[in-house]
Structures are given as C-alpha cells and as structure tokens.
Amino acid sequence: MTAAPPVTEPVPLARNRDYRLLWGGQALSEFGFHAAVIGFPLLVLALTGSGAASGLVMGTVAAAQMVVGLPAGVLVDRLDRKAVMLGCEAAQAVSAISLVAAVWSGAATVWHMVVVAAVFGASAALFAPAENASLPALVADGQLPTAVAMNTARASMGQLAGTATGGFLFAAGRFVPFLVDAVTHTLSFVALLFVRLPRRERAPGGPGPLRREALAGLRWVWREPRIRVTVVCAVVLNLFFSAYYLVIIVLAESRGVPSGEVGVMAAMLGVGGVLGALVAPVLHRRLGPYGAIVAVFWALAGLAPVTVLLDSGYLIGVLFALIALFPPAANTAIMTDQLLRTPDELRGRLTSTLVLACGAAGAAGPALGGSLAQALPGGRAILLCSAGMAAAAVLATLSPALRALSRRAEDGRPVPAG
C-alpha cells in the first residue's frame, strides 16, 4: 500500500517573501497617496484661492475611480496582473514628479492638477482589483482571512498617517507632499518587481469585447446568491452610514461643538478602523464568517442611535472608534469567501463590481444625509439612518445564503450556498 504524501504546511505570512514585499510596498504607496490627496486642495487654494477649483481637483480623483472602476475589472482579468500593478505605480510616480517639477518652477496650473488627480484615481481603480485577485495566488487558503485583514489594516493606517502628515509636509514646501508620493510609489514599484506571482492560464478563445466581458462579470456576481446578498447588504449599509456621518457633522456644528473636536471625531474613525483590522482575524476565527458579518451589522445599527444622547465631540469620537472597530471583521469574512468562491478569471471583475457598488452608495450617502439634516430635526435624522442600517442587519441575519457560511467543508473551504 502506497503511503500518502506528507502534507506540506504553508509558509507563515510573516515569512512569505512575496506577500511581505507586496504589503510593504503598498503600505508606503498608500501613505504617499493620502499625503498627496490632502495636499491637492491646499495647493489649489494657495495658488488660486478658489474653493470651486479645489473641489474640481478633489472630485476628479473620485470621478476617475468611478469611471474606470468597472472596465478595470475586465482589464485585470484579461491582462497580466503584476504588469497592471507595476503600470499603476509607475503612472502615479511619473505624474507626481511632473507636478513636483511644475510647482518647483512656478508653472503649476489647476488643469495640470486635474490630470494628475485623474491618473491617481484611475490607477487606484485598477490596482485594487489586481491586488485582490492576486492574493489567493500568494497565500494559502487558510491564511486568506489574515491576509485580507492585514491589507485592511494597511489601508487604514496609510489613510490615517498620510492624511495626518500631509498638512505638515505641505507646510514644509508646497511640492513636498507630491515629492513624498513620487518616492513612495517608486519604492513600491521596485518592491513589486521582486514579487513572484504565478503565471495564470489563459482562457481559450481569447478576450471578447470589453463591454460584453464587463456584463458577463456583473451577471455572474448577480447569479451567485451569497455574493448578491452581501453586495446588497453592503450597499444599504454604506448608503445609510455615509448619510449618518454627514448628519452627525451637521448636528455637531449646530450644537456648537468646536471644530477641533469635530476633527477628533473624524480621526477616531481611522483609529477604530486600524484597531478593528488588527483584531479582525481573531473575530473571524471566534465568531465564524456568518457570526462576524451579522455581529458587525447589528453593532453598527445598535451604536449609531446612541449619538442622539451625546453632546461632546470627544464622546462621539469614542463612539465612532467603536463603530469603526467592527467592519473590518465583516470585510474579512466577505472578501475571503468571495475570493475563494470566484473563479480566477473573474476575480478582477468581482472586486471592481464591489468597489463600484459600495463607492456609488458612499457617494450618494452624503446627499441623502444633507437632505435628511435639512428636512428633519437632527435626532430624527439619526434614527432614520439607524433604521436603514438595521434593515441591512435584518436582511443579513435572515439570508439563507449567508447562514450557509457557518457550514464548513472538510478541507476548510466555504460550502457553496443553496
């Protein structure tokens, strides 16, 4: 009788050379990106004094991400993903250097900044699905929850540190945030060169038209019950949480909360997000995927109404930190399951669909929040937003597709729903 071959233990993430290179390079890149993003409005205001021009430049980053979002998934599934990531880093480094040169020489214009902002947004839209789709090829299936959580922590830390540091960098010199951005993207480019990403098998027949492939990805996402319900729940939650956040800011201003306290409130969301990402693997293991998702939805729905009782910006900041502590656990559970369920040739389109749907909800949320704050007393607007989040929690709790996440196959992979 032939003996079974020995089971090879996967390399721990801490010693996974390729994952560490990717993670470390992106930690630098995200810090530089957010430092530059906060530098954009400061530079526009310093050169023109125009709030409208500042809004144009900032809006271009988000608009480029939205426009490129859906075709980005098709391109990531069609092209070499490492080459896509390298191209994104190179494009951002070159565009940042061009802005540094323009500011240094006194030739910077608003339209030059609009072009650079568009490159930044488009590159971010392409890089995210390329990295997420590559993750299962770099780490073992059992390590995927920790890798997803570590990527979430990295993004939160990069946003918090870059945003907090960008103003000081700008004070040191108008070109400095963009110089830092160029350097960090260059270092990330070099790190990516040494990442060994397994070669993907190409689907027979070659690529089809871009529009047809994009629609095929959307149809696949919609036909998968578990993915469909998580997308719907995430969109509803993002819509009402974004509305709730703006209502809180408006209510704080109307109650005379000092602007410094309002800044602390916003910063505490980032702090909670970082801590939440660090404990997400533990919550994922202890609660299981379904338990983590449902607990997060109910935690947000339960904590949000408490702000009706609070007048202190610092206390609201503590509440914000608690609220932000939980979503990374749900993100870990959702992304892990979806990446493992999705065929490799569709993973780019999966990520771009999720980013586009949640981004659209996040963009519509402030408009909804502004309308609610104007039409209703602050307390009622908060309760209405909380009710919307509770509706998403009820949907997640009752979903048979999500309850199937509590089942496990013998090999540890999620059991297909339905």
Side-chain angles (χ1 to χ4, degrees), residues 15-289:
R15 293 193 286 110
N16 186 325
R17 168 188 174 276
D18 298 304
Y19 177 74
R20 285 190 293 115
L21 283 171
L22 179 60
W23 193 95
Q26 281 309 289
L28 290 172
S29 180
E30 287 171 355
F31 170 79
F33 174 84
H34 288 290
V37 166
I38 201 66
F40 273 129
L42 298 175
L43 180 58
V44 175
L45 290 172
L47 293 178
T48 69
S50 169
S54 178
L56 172 65
V57 175
M58 289 298 291
T60 299
V61 178
Q65 286 181 289
M66 293 290 289
V67 170
V68 178
L70 196 56
V74 179
L75 294 174
V76 164
D77 288 334
R78 178 184 292 184
L79 304 175
D80 182 278
R81 288 169 181 162
K82 180 177 176 179
V84 170
M85 291 188 283
L86 286 169
C88 291
E89 294 297 342
Q92 289 179 92
V94 170
S95 61
I97 290 171
S98 75
L99 190 54
V100 169
V103 175
W104 181 270
S105 63
T109 65
V110 171
W111 292 112
H112 186 174
M113 284 182 270
V114 166
V115 172
V116 173
V119 172
F120 279 22
S123 297
L126 277 163
F127 195 98
E131 182 186 19
N132 287 339
S134 301
L135 206 54
L138 294 177
V139 304
D141 289 354
Q143 297 172 333
L144 199 54
T146 302
V148 169
M150 290 301 296
N151 283 6
T152 303
R154 181 196 72 202
S156 297
M157 289 187 290
Q159 181 176 10
L160 187 62
T163 302
T165 308
F168 295 103
L169 295 175
F170 186 83
R174 293 179 177 179
F175 65 91
V176 175
F178 309 102
L179 177 61
V180 169
D181 183 63
V183 171
T184 55
H185 283 298
T186 300
L187 292 175
S188 180
F189 178 89
V190 173
L192 269 170
L193 286 174
F194 295 95
V195 172
R196 297 168 299 193
L197 194 60
R199 184 178 296 276
R200 297 164 54 215
E201 293 184 7
R202 300 295 180 184
L210 195 68
R211 178 175 173 272
R212 188 174 69 190
E213 290 193 31
L215 291 176
L218 287 173
R219 283 194 297 268
W220 189 89
V221 168
W222 190 251
R223 283 198 301 263
E224 287 291 314
R226 193 180 299 170
I227 296 178
R228 181 175 66 243
V229 74
T230 52
V231 170
V232 171
C233 290
V235 166
V236 174
L237 191 67
N238 277 0
L239 175 67
F240 283 102
F241 182 78
S242 299
Y244 161 80
Y245 179 72
L246 185 65
V247 169
I248 292 297
I249 299 299
V250 173
L251 185 60
E253 292 287 348
S254 68
R255 290 177 175 177
V257 176
S259 57
E261 291 187 32
V262 174
V264 170
M265 287 164 45
M268 291 301 285
L269 275 174
V271 172
V274 172
L275 295 176
L278 294 177
V279 301
V282 177
L283 291 176
H284 185 268
R285 285 195 299 271
R286 293 190 176 182
L287 298 177

